[in-house]
Amino acid sequence: MGEIQLPSHWKVVKLGDVCEFIYGKTLPKSQRESGSIPVYGSNGIIDWHNQAITSSKTIVIGRKGSIGKVNFSLIPCYPIDTTYYIDDVKQPCDLYYLYYSLSILNLSALNSSLAIPGLNRNDAYAKIIYLPPVPEQKTIAHTLRTIQKAKETRQRELELERERKAALMQYLFTHGTRKEPRKQTDIGEIPESWEVVTLDKVCEFLQYGTSKLCDSDTSGIPVLRIPNVIGGEINISDLKFTKPDKKEFKKLFLEVGDLLFVRTNGRKEYLGRCAVFCRNPPQAMFASYLIRVRLKPHTLLPEFVQFYTMTHRGKSYLSGRASNAADGKFNINTQTIKSVLVPVAPLNEQHELIGTLQACDRKIQALEKEIALTDELFHAMLEQLMTGKISTQPLTETYV
């Protein structure tokens, strides 16, 4: 951790003087039963079982696999043989505080040089940790747990909102927004006033992107690729660039409302995912593994099509028509996309449906941002609290 000025009443100790890393045990196949006891591997809970090794709260550390990864079990558990575990301490030390101390030790860097990499516990024992008095340890741990619980609460809300959006999409593309009677079609039930057409009936053209090599030279034109089409949106966190001639740029320049479909992937279910280009970045082209679809005006809104491709029947229709390539990937082409059956609602109802689902997206984005900020706060506080740069002494009497 470098040179640190600790409060004068804190102690500097070796990890091995505080605790013992106990080897986890192999879980016999004959004893694998569904139960209420979490079975921990190097990366966290992997199974459930009816018997526990530990008798109380336990810290589990990855020994092989996810080396140095630290988990905390609030209940008795079964750490398997790819882990170490700690369920007691040798000197006054709060177990929660020890868990957070381990979290900042970077134990994954202690990889042994054996044929099978692993964490040598003697190397871990030599690491230094800082111990304030136990009441202060408890207050520090309480503060960090409070931040973590806030993040976990928001994560649960995010999961529920994503589930709600998925269910709402299924409902809206079956029932619409007008509570009208439904009819049976080739894509299932839809509102009576809607139609079903092949995509080629409502699009101006379809087009493959550039095959030019792309790099990180930002003086070029951004080229959107498969990694930029994620979750129904254009993600520009990993952009590549190219320098096209004027003819190619004019041909492949993206306009607002263009739909970009993923046409090749190693996972069949990812085929056909798409996003609407909204001029972010302001000038951009697209790569050859994407297909651009430009819809005719006043027929189908691109956002309506994009949301439809995220429903179960929209996804399965595209991925179900994939072909196998020699490289083991799956492909669709322009002819496949042209033949896709899509629902067509009245334009004003398309706007209503889009607005409803975009409201879900705004809530999801707000929750994602809050989670990211809470995570930043946690890591900032972890470093500050565990080195005494921020004192919790005024809170000590409250939380012990």
Side-chain angles (χ1 to χ4, degrees), residues 243-258:
K243 293 182 178 178
D245 56 42
K246 289 183 179 179
K247 184 178 178 181
E248 185 179 35
F249 178 69
K250 185 177 179 180
K251 179 183 176 184
L252 299 178
F253 176 71
L254 285 164
E255 293 188 6
V256 173
D258 284 346

Side-chain angles (χ1 to χ4, degrees), residues 98-261:
L98 179 58
Y99 164 70
Y100 291 120
S101 293
L102 290 166
S103 299
I104 62 173
L105 284 183
N106 192 22
L107 295 176
S108 61
L110 300 180
N111 234 335
S112 69
S113 57
L114 301 174
I116 302 176
L119 173 62
N120 184 304
R121 59 181 178 176
N122 290 321
D123 293 338
Y125 289 161
K127 298 286 278 186
I128 295 296
I129 65 170
Y130 310 124
L131 290 184
V134 171
E136 199 170 343
Q137 292 178 32
K138 290 180 180 292
T139 307
I140 290 170
H142 174 86
T143 303
L144 292 170
R145 286 208 316 278
T146 300
I147 299 172
Q148 281 189 313
K149 286 176 181 177
K151 178 185 172 182
E152 289 164 4
T153 298
R154 292 296 176 266
Q155 284 176 323
R156 287 193 294 272
E157 289 179 20
L158 177 60
E159 289 166 9
L160 288 171
E161 188 59 28
R162 284 173 173 160
E163 290 173 7
R164 190 175 84 89
K165 179 191 170 186
L168 190 56
M169 278 195 301
Q170 295 294 136
Y171 178 86
L172 289 174
F173 280 101
T174 303
H175 294 76
T177 64
R178 307 294 174 82
K179 299 182 179 178
E180 62 181 295
R182 299 186 300 281
K183 63 184 179 183
Q184 191 66 37
T185 69
D186 290 338
I187 61 171
E189 282 192 337
I190 60 171
E192 203 168 61
S193 65
W194 291 24
E195 298 177 27
V196 175
V197 301
T198 54
L199 197 58
D200 67 329
K201 301 294 184 185
V202 290
C203 71
E204 289 188 346
F205 64 85
L206 294 86
Q207 187 181 31
Y208 294 108
T210 181
S211 297
K212 270 185 171 290
L213 287 175
C214 301
D215 55 35
S216 301
D217 182 357
T218 56
S219 65
I221 298 294
V223 177
L224 299 181
R225 304 163 297 124
I226 291 175
N228 302 118
V229 180
I230 299 174
E233 297 179 349
I234 302 294
N235 184 312
I236 61 170
S237 61
D238 180 24
L239 281 178
K240 298 293 183 183
F241 304 83
T242 193
K243 293 182 178 178
D245 56 42
K246 289 183 179 179
K247 184 178 178 181
E248 185 179 35
F249 178 69
K250 185 177 179 180
K251 179 183 176 184
L252 299 178
F253 176 71
L254 285 164
E255 293 188 6
V256 173
D258 284 346
L259 277 164
L260 293 175
F261 282 82

Side-chain angles (χ1 to χ4, degrees), residues 192-372:
E192 203 168 61
S193 65
W194 291 24
E195 298 177 27
V196 175
V197 301
T198 54
L199 197 58
D200 67 329
K201 301 294 184 185
V202 290
C203 71
E204 289 188 346
F205 64 85
L206 294 86
Q207 187 181 31
Y208 294 108
T210 181
S211 297
K212 270 185 171 290
L213 287 175
C214 301
D215 55 35
S216 301
D217 182 357
T218 56
S219 65
I221 298 294
V223 177
L224 299 181
R225 304 163 297 124
I226 291 175
N228 302 118
V229 180
I230 299 174
E233 297 179 349
I234 302 294
N235 184 312
I236 61 170
S237 61
D238 180 24
L239 281 178
K240 298 293 183 183
F241 304 83
T242 193
K243 293 182 178 178
D245 56 42
K246 289 183 179 179
K247 184 178 178 181
E248 185 179 35
F249 178 69
K250 185 177 179 180
K251 179 183 176 184
L252 299 178
F253 176 71
L254 285 164
E255 293 188 6
V256 173
D258 284 346
L259 277 164
L260 293 175
F261 282 82
V262 172
R263 73 173 183 89
T264 184
N265 206 275
R267 295 182 63 172
K268 194 174 182 180
E269 65 271 22
Y270 285 175
L271 279 181
R273 72 175 190 250
C274 74
V276 182
F277 181 70
C278 299
R279 197 169 283 139
N280 186 23
Q283 290 189 327
M285 297 167 56
F286 60 105
S288 59
Y289 289 137
L290 300 178
I291 295 174
R292 184 232 303 259
V293 175
R294 184 169 295 166
L295 300 172
K296 294 176 181 177
H298 314 300
T299 54
L300 262 182
L301 299 173
E303 293 84 1
F304 186 85
V305 175
Q306 187 272 312
F307 280 128
Y308 177 68
T309 64
M310 295 180 74
T311 65
H312 175 71
R313 63 191 184 192
K315 283 190 287 190
S316 60
Y317 199 97
L318 279 162
S319 62
R321 283 154 180 76
S323 60
N324 291 83
D327 59 2
K329 293 182 179 179
F330 299 93
N331 291 321
I332 56 174
N333 55 31
T334 54
Q335 293 305 312
T336 305
I337 294 178
K338 281 182 180 180
S339 67
V340 168
L341 293 172
V342 292
V344 182
L347 274 175
N348 55 357
E349 190 170 3
Q350 290 184 44
H351 281 291
E352 289 175 10
L353 184 148
I354 291 166
T356 299
L357 294 175
Q358 285 180 339
C360 292
D361 284 338
R362 286 192 293 273
K363 185 171 182 181
I364 287 169
Q365 289 162 6
L367 286 167
E368 287 173 338
K369 184 176 181 180
E370 190 172 350
I371 289 167

